[in-house]
Structures are given as C-alpha cells and as structure tokens.
Amino acid sequence: MQDRTAALVVQAVRTGFRAIDVAAQRKHYRQDLVGEALATLAREDGIKREEIFLQTKFTSMNGQDATGFIPYDPKASVEKQVR
C-alpha cells in the first residue's frame, strides 16, 4: 500500500478531494509520495498547491514503525524532532 500513495492521492484529488491529512507514518503510507502526487497534479491537471488543504502532524516514536523509516532523529529533543 505504501508504494501506491502517489497514485491514490492523485485519484482522490481527481475525484474531488481537496484535503489531505498526513502524519509521516511510513507504516501506512509514504509522505514523500504525497508531494510527488501534488507535483503530478500540478503538471498534468493544473491543480495548484494552493487549492489543496494539506495537514501534517508530528507522530511520536510510539506511533512510528521502528523497523522502518523514521522521519527524525529519535535521540534529538522533541523541538528538533518536530522541526
């Protein structure tokens, strides 16, 4: 499912969705591919980033997949992790 993130976001936006909720939880999807989808939509459909409501959140270590990608240094301060 993770590798289908871009295709699923493109499909959702093309069918009318304008809000995307992400949280950097690679165990569910790939946040970087949401960005790829937005680039595809801009290039192929003329949908500007400003037309999409994009929400992201900080996910603490207990919500991350410890066996996979972690989008921050877990040893850093929480302030640095969020940034």
Side-chain angles (χ1 to χ4, degrees):
M1 188 67 134
Q2 300 162 340
D3 293 334
R4 296 183 57 215
T5 300
L8 292 171
V9 169
V10 167
Q11 180 182 2
V13 172
R14 284 179 176 162
T15 59
F17 284 81
R18 290 297 182 266
I20 302 168
D21 184 4
V22 299
Q25 289 187 317
R26 193 153 181 180
K27 66 182 176 180
H28 300 298
Y29 61 89
R30 288 185 44 198
Q31 189 166 331
D32 60 315
L33 295 181
V34 173
E36 183 180 300
L38 295 176
T40 297
L41 290 161
R43 183 178 61 253
E44 295 180 5
D45 300 278
I47 297 173
K48 297 177 184 175
R49 167 62 184 88
E50 295 80 20
E51 298 175 49
I52 305 293
F53 179 79
L54 183 63
Q55 175 177 308
T56 189
K57 301 167 284 312
F58 173 74
T59 303
S60 62
M61 278 301 299
N62 63 353
Q64 297 289 344
D65 180 2
T67 63
F69 172 80
I70 298 177
Y72 52 79
D73 178 359
K75 295 177 184 162
S77 69
V78 172
E79 181 180 341
K80 286 184 180 182
Q81 290 176 12
V82 171
R83 221 180 290 151

